[in-house]
Amino acid sequence: MLFIDSLNQLLFPTRCFGCAALGLSICSSCRRDWHPGYYTRHISQLSVHSAVPYSSTASRIILASKEDGLEGADNLIISAIVHVLSKADFDDHNIRLVPIPSSPSARRRRGRNFILDIAGSVGQRSGLPLSDSLELTRRVRDQSGLDATARSYNMQGAFALKKGTYPRGDLVLIDDVVTTGATLHEAGRALRSAGFNVIAAITACHAQPLR
Ligand SMILES: [Zn+2]
């Protein structure tokens, strides 16, 4: 194994996800941009807790995880979410983690269900159960170029409770980034309208909406 590890290092040396410098999966300078803290925003009845402000470093880490499936980048995101969970102090609650569903086309392109994978690892590390209880009801547009109004319109009624699921307890939504909160708002609406209790959302990053 040692030999294979060193061969791997030779062929595929570890590079920083932020700036591609050789060595660590995140170098000390990019660590300054990706340093998990605890930020809270309130988006229409929902407290959204996040670990790091969005930056070009954060954007590269998220892409490396989401689109390239790189384990080191996954780990940075998982640790950031676990960190926020520990700060959020949900001790008196009966928490269940609910991942935000991704579209079938994104799942095919990535070869996996990104947020479900991330939330699953967060659950394993934090000992909290996972409930994959939301599904998309229709196609939604990629939101990266959309402003707040367009995002809200794009997400309206887009999620529903997945058939056969019954997510009891205090639900905490899990996603990679919050921008306007349109996606989280819609996820909260779908679960609450089915009679379930959503208490918060946790994301690795928080970004400023387009104006
Ligand atoms: Zn770097």
Side-chain angles (χ1 to χ4, degrees):
M1 272 318 274
L2 261 180
F3 170 73
I4 294 183
D5 284 348
S6 356
L7 190 65
N8 259 326
Q9 264 313 312
L10 204 64
L11 296 174
F12 310 105
T14 305
R15 286 178 181 276
C16 169
F17 292 115
C19 66
L22 283 168
L24 301 166
S25 62
I26 183 151
C27 73
S28 55
S29 127
C30 291
R31 202 24 122 176
R32 284 195 283 274
D33 290 338
W34 186 278
H35 182 70
Y38 183 54
Y39 301 86
T40 296
R41 259 162 74 180
H42 296 279
I43 295 164
S44 54
Q45 308 169 22
L46 193 65
S47 303
V48 182
H49 310 290
S50 313
V52 286
Y54 201 68
S55 62
S56 54
T57 302
S59 145
R60 284 192 284 267
I61 289 169
I62 286 177
L63 283 176
S65 165
K66 205 169 181 167
E67 304 302 339
D68 302 332
L70 298 176
E71 196 185 338
D74 279 9
N75 284 332
L76 289 170
I77 294 173
I78 293 159
S79 306
I81 295 176
V82 169
H83 171 80
V84 175
L85 264 171
S86 73
K87 295 280 176 193
D89 192 22
F90 291 135
D91 288 354
D92 296 338
H93 292 84
N94 175 19
I95 298 296
R96 253 163 217 267
L97 308 176
V98 179
I100 295 298
S102 38
S103 68
S105 64
R107 290 206 294 268
R108 276 195 301 275
R109 189 178 69 241
R110 295 170 187 153
R112 65 167 177 163
N113 192 334
F114 166 62
I115 289 295
L116 179 62
D117 276 9
I118 296 288
S121 303
V122 168
Q124 273 169 11
R125 282 226 221 146
S126 56
L128 294 169
L130 186 75
S131 176
D132 182 22
S133 47
L134 282 172
E135 64 183 7
L136 272 164
T137 58
R138 58 171 170 80
R139 284 175 70 106
V140 292
R141 294 168 61 193
D142 175 67
Q143 308 225 88
S144 39
L146 305 182
D147 67 9
T149 316
R151 281 176 186 239
S152 159
Y153 183 73
N154 188 40
M155 292 313 298
Q156 223 165 58
F159 293 144
L161 187 72
K162 201 184 254 185
K163 278 194 189 67
T165 58
Y166 195 82
R168 266 184 299 195
D170 303 313
L171 308 180
V172 174
L173 306 169
I174 303 288
D175 207 357
D176 54 342
V177 183
V178 58
T179 307
T180 63
T183 303
L184 295 172
H185 172 76
E186 166 56 20
R189 183 211 58 78
L191 290 164
R192 283 171 176 154
S193 72
F196 297 102
N197 182 35
V198 182
I199 61 160
I202 291 186
T203 68
C205 296
H206 63 99
Q208 286 307 313
L210 291 177
R211 299 203 184 271

